[in-house]
Amino acid sequence: MTGARILLLNPNTSAEMTERMLDAGRAVAARDTDLVPLTAVRGVPYIATRAEAQIGGAIALEMLAEHHRRVDAAIIAAFGDPGLFGARELFDIPVVGLAEAAMLTACMLGRRFAIVSFARALGPWYEECVAMHGLTGRCAGIRLLDSPFREVTAVQEEKEDRLVLLANEAVQRDEADVVILAGAPLSGLAAKVAHRIPVPVVDQVAAAVKQAEALAALRPRKATEGTFRRPPAKGVTGLPAALAARITHADDVEA
């Protein structure tokens, strides 16, 4: 198999965050892997709440409907994995979420992982994301910055020392064996601070890229039974054309 073509789909509207994640992904991608960046054209600059995640998940499905036939795998590049399970139902290619990839990678490095991120508002959504993936028992805790920041796209530079402190608190007080630095704005930070934290530190994008590469190489078949089989055709009203075609199965004729 030649190199994989992997869609790096950012359901946030910040192109700067997409570039940051692209840099983190390219740092670990195989030489012949083609990472294809895509940024949402509507929505919010960064997803931080349950409601925003619902919106971002719908937008992610729309974006995948437009591009899934041009790639071997896709990454939904927002840590709470908005739209991930729906994407696995609808599309034939492997779809990876940042949170699931990071947590499963962490589970291969230690008994329990901690999540460290940049905003207290993220806590409930991230906690529910851990539970969604069945990993509550492997999560030592979630530690979040409790102070404001000037600009979300530069939060890792502004708050690096505080984030490292939170990571070390997770190790010392929560007995975390692994730390995940979570949230698109923190992409790439793990490589910069790993020497300051005494346990493995997982970069969410790096984990997602390597797992997407592996799944693309394995070429898993699309389920035709089970809970992730493609739903039967159904009529729709007012949806974007590509997503409507996927739901109605009109794209089967087009293909």
Side-chain angles (χ1 to χ4, degrees):
M1 176 181 174
T2 58
R5 185 172 170 83
I6 298 173
L7 184 67
L8 183 67
L9 186 163
N10 180 10
N12 303 287
T13 61
S14 170
E16 189 173 346
M17 279 191 207
T18 304
E19 286 299 314
R20 188 180 286 272
M21 290 189 284
L22 185 61
D23 288 343
R26 283 176 172 164
V28 301
R31 184 175 299 178
D32 56 355
T33 293
D34 182 14
L35 290 179
V36 182
L38 185 66
T39 307
V41 296
R42 60 191 181 89
V44 296
Y46 69 97
I47 298 169
T49 68
R50 299 181 185 95
E52 292 165 2
Q54 293 291 324
I55 294 166
I59 292 169
L61 296 181
E62 293 175 12
M63 295 165 74
L64 275 166
E66 290 278 357
H67 295 273
H68 71 105
R69 294 195 187 279
R70 305 170 198 164
V71 294
D72 302 300
I75 297 167
I76 296 181
F79 189 80
D81 298 345
L84 178 62
F85 289 172
R88 286 181 178 160
E89 280 186 347
L90 280 179
F91 302 105
D92 299 339
I93 60 171
V95 184
V96 174
L98 288 192
E100 185 182 36
M103 290 188 291
L104 292 180
T105 300
C107 286
M108 291 186 280
L109 293 170
R111 183 173 62 93
R112 295 202 305 163
F113 60 84
I115 295 171
V116 173
S117 196
F118 62 92
R120 188 156 297 279
L122 294 163
W125 177 35
Y126 282 4
E127 184 176 351
E128 289 163 13
C129 178
V130 174
M132 177 180 77
H133 289 301
L135 293 170
T136 300
R138 302 292 296 273
C139 182
I142 300 174
R143 289 187 173 263
L144 305 162
L145 289 178
D146 56 6
S147 56
F149 47 83
R150 290 189 295 272
E151 176 58 51
V152 68
T153 54
V155 68
Q156 68 168 269
E157 290 83 7
E158 180 186 345
K159 299 292 186 177
E160 178 180 317
D161 289 342
R162 180 59 183 160
L163 290 163
V164 169
L165 178 62
L166 289 177
N168 281 301
E169 287 177 352
V171 175
Q172 295 156 9
R173 300 180 186 178
D174 305 333
E175 299 184 345
D177 300 311
V178 187
V179 170
I180 299 167
L181 298 177
L186 302 189
S187 300
L189 181 59
K192 300 175 187 175
V193 303
H195 66 287
R196 302 174 62 187
I197 301 165
V199 298
V201 184
V202 173
D203 183 279
Q204 59 206 338
V205 177
V209 166
K210 299 315 289 185
Q211 292 197 24
E213 286 178 338
L215 289 172
L218 290 171
R219 298 187 179 184
R221 67 168 293 174
K222 170 63 177 172
T224 54
E225 295 293 340
T227 64
F228 284 101
R229 68 189 183 278
R230 186 177 174 188
K234 180 181 291 185
V236 301
T237 302
L239 291 180
L243 184 57
R246 192 66 189 164
I247 293 172
T248 63
H249 290 213
D251 63 344
D252 290 348
V253 177
E254 296 167 5

